Amino acid sequence: MNKKLLSLVLVAALAMSLLAGCGSKEEPKTTTAAAADTTAAAADNETEAPADTTAAAGDETTAAAAGGNTTGETIRVGYAQVGHESDWRTANTKNYQDVFSADNGYELSFVDCDNDNAAQLEAVRGFIQQELDYIVIAPIETAGWDTVLQEAQDAGIPVIIADREIDAPDTLYDAWVGTNTKNEGITAANWLAEYLDGKEANILVIEGSVGASATLGRTEGFNEVAAEHSEWKILDSQSGDFTQAGGQEVMESFIKSYEGQFNVVVCQNDNEAYGAMDAMKAANITYGVDGDVIIISFDATHDGLQYTLDGAINCNVECNPIQAGVVEEVIQAMAAGSDYEKTTLVNDEAFVAPGITSEYATTMTEDILAGRAY
Ligand code: AHR
């Protein structure tokens, strides 16, 4: 074999081994989304994946950051976004707009569905009518997806479910990318048990939007651990719709009904926590590491982590919004006809206020906050 032929054979063999490695699911790994650039490593997804919904996160896989469209042709992507209810959502939207930009070789049709299920179904039907190349859906609710997913499948348009889960057969969509929200709830409750060390907890929960898998998962995970603690009592649980105004309104009504009876408030996202803190401040109720009420939050966005660093939020469990790079990787693999992961779990961490050390969470520092861009 001459030298030129030998080198061609070697290059082909290397390419084949790389392709084989790409499609392998034998050694699943956890994805760490690129922008979540912190040094924390605790509270990784070590417990069960969400159980309730069909699109439950299964494999934890490695996924590269956004690499741009390498097909040479513009790819048209539709994104049916939940809305703009939270800082998390704003960060997630920006991440999609950055990754699926014209400069990166994409045409992004973005629809803010304003937390309206009917509007979201209409958005997806619009994408089908426009014959877009790929449809990405961040589902507002878990239910009601079968018909429109069948329509997309009949039209031959691949669908990626992102962020939240749906209750539909996984044959109706092509891939899922998101976080393990049940595990987020378990982490929050495990941290609380560790922190209280057998002391009583009288808990109020400000849930997220009704019917959203992020709400269902966090509630299920938290309640599962709570059931093991006879010294804990969940006094009430109401939806704050993942908004600051909703969190404040629910907390104001909780204060009327339970003033002096609670020592833990669980807010299922950071914006609800901001509203709950405003309501408690107005009622002269102290909270955080130096206060009477322990606050647990979810999302760990920049401002939420600032409150955690300041000791106002005791524990903040991350839900990573930086997911578009993983979705892009799936789309690029589909476009190239390569293997791709059916489910990709984006890794979450948890953070606690200075002065707290935990098996389940990392103690906040200025450096961690500085690395949190969203
Ligand atoms: O689905 C993710 C959740 O939705 C985030 O926790 C919340 O902030 C957002 O609105």
Side-chain angles (χ1 to χ4, degrees):
M1 196 181 294
N2 66 33
K3 269 189 187 168
K4 198 172 170 191
L5 187 57
L6 179 64
S7 60
L8 276 174
V9 169
L10 285 174
V11 167
L14 180 65
M16 281 172 72
S17 72
L18 283 174
L19 278 175
C22 277
S24 169
K25 293 189 183 184
E26 275 169 18
E27 289 186 346
K29 292 183 207 141
T30 303
T31 295
T32 302
D37 189 16
T38 67
T39 50
D44 286 357
N45 292 289
E46 287 170 355
T47 46
E48 315 112 83
D52 255 357
T53 55
T54 316
D59 299 333
E60 296 178 3
T61 59
T62 301
N69 175 9
T70 55
T71 65
E73 282 177 26
T74 300
I75 294 183
R76 299 164 74 219
V77 177
Y79 186 33
Q81 173 64 291
V82 168
H84 49 273
E85 70 284 359
S86 62
D87 294 355
W88 189 101
R89 193 62 55 193
T90 304
N92 179 259
T93 292
K94 183 175 181 316
N95 181 227
Y96 273 86
Q97 287 166 341
D98 288 348
V99 168
F100 293 102
S101 66
D103 283 353
N104 285 345
Y106 296 96
E107 189 183 303
L108 179 67
S109 294
F110 175 85
V111 179
D112 176 335
C113 301
D114 201 14
N115 229 14
D116 177 338
N117 288 307
Q120 192 163 44
L121 291 176
E122 202 181 305
V124 175
R125 292 203 163 96
F127 297 154
I128 296 170
Q129 265 169 13
Q130 292 166 62
E131 298 179 353
L132 298 189
D133 300 316
Y134 297 89
I135 294 174
V136 185
I137 305 169
I140 295 167
E141 288 191 4
T142 54
W145 287 101
D146 293 41
T147 306
V148 78
L149 291 179
Q150 187 63 60
E151 289 167 24
Q153 198 166 78
D154 292 347
I157 304 176
V159 172
I160 296 140
I161 306 295
D163 163 28
R164 297 180 182 169
E165 297 167 53
I166 56 171
D167 197 359
D170 69 0
T171 48
L172 285 179
Y173 57 90
D174 298 86
W176 178 89
V177 173
T179 63
N180 185 336
T181 55
K182 179 178 176 186
N183 194 54
E184 291 163 10
I186 290 172
T187 299
N190 278 337
W191 171 78
L192 184 64
E194 177 192 49
Y195 188 63
L196 288 174
D197 194 22
K199 292 193 201 79
E200 268 186 21
N202 289 296
I203 305 167
L204 292 168
V205 182
I206 306 180
E207 293 188 11
S209 302
V210 175
S213 71
T215 304
L216 297 167
R218 286 169 197 163
T219 304
E220 187 187 347
F222 189 88
N223 288 354
E224 205 169 272
V225 178
E228 294 163 9
H229 290 272
S230 53
E231 75 281 16
W232 292 11
K233 190 171 175 197
I234 298 182
L235 298 172
D236 210 339
S237 196
Q238 303 281 337
S239 170
D241 221 7
F242 283 132
T243 65
Q244 180 162 347
Q248 182 165 349
E249 200 178 311
V250 172
M251 195 67 230
E252 282 165 358
S253 114
F254 278 165
I255 291 168
K256 279 191 194 125
S257 307
Y258 303 101
E259 185 150 20
Q261 298 172 48
F262 62 92
N263 63 339
V264 179
V265 175
V266 178
C267 305
Q268 287 189 348
N269 82 347
D270 280 339
N271 292 80
E272 291 180 339
Y274 310 153
M277 289 190 284
D278 285 346
M280 284 193 267
K281 214 180 294 165
N284 291 318
I285 297 169
T286 59
Y287 51 80
V289 283
D290 298 322
D292 292 332
V293 176
I294 295 164
I295 299 190
I296 295 173
S297 185
F298 292 84
D299 281 2
T301 53
H302 180 278
D303 291 359
L305 286 186
Q306 176 73 67
Y307 280 112
T308 313
L309 183 64
D310 294 345
I313 291 174
N314 299 65
C315 175
N316 203 330
V317 181
E318 183 182 36
C319 175
N320 198 325
I322 307 304
Q323 302 180 2
V326 185
V327 172
E328 188 204 21
E329 190 185 57
V330 170
I331 287 176
Q332 283 297 307
M334 287 175 173
S338 311
D339 287 344
Y340 58 88
E341 299 293 345
K342 177 90 182 184
T343 67
T344 304
L345 196 55
V346 177
N347 188 35
D348 292 326
E349 301 173 9
F351 302 93
V352 282
I356 304 174
T357 49
S358 173
E359 177 188 337
Y360 304 99
T362 299
T363 306
M364 269 306 290
T365 63
E366 291 282 358
D367 281 352
I368 293 172
L369 187 64
R372 181 58 45 127
Y374 50 87

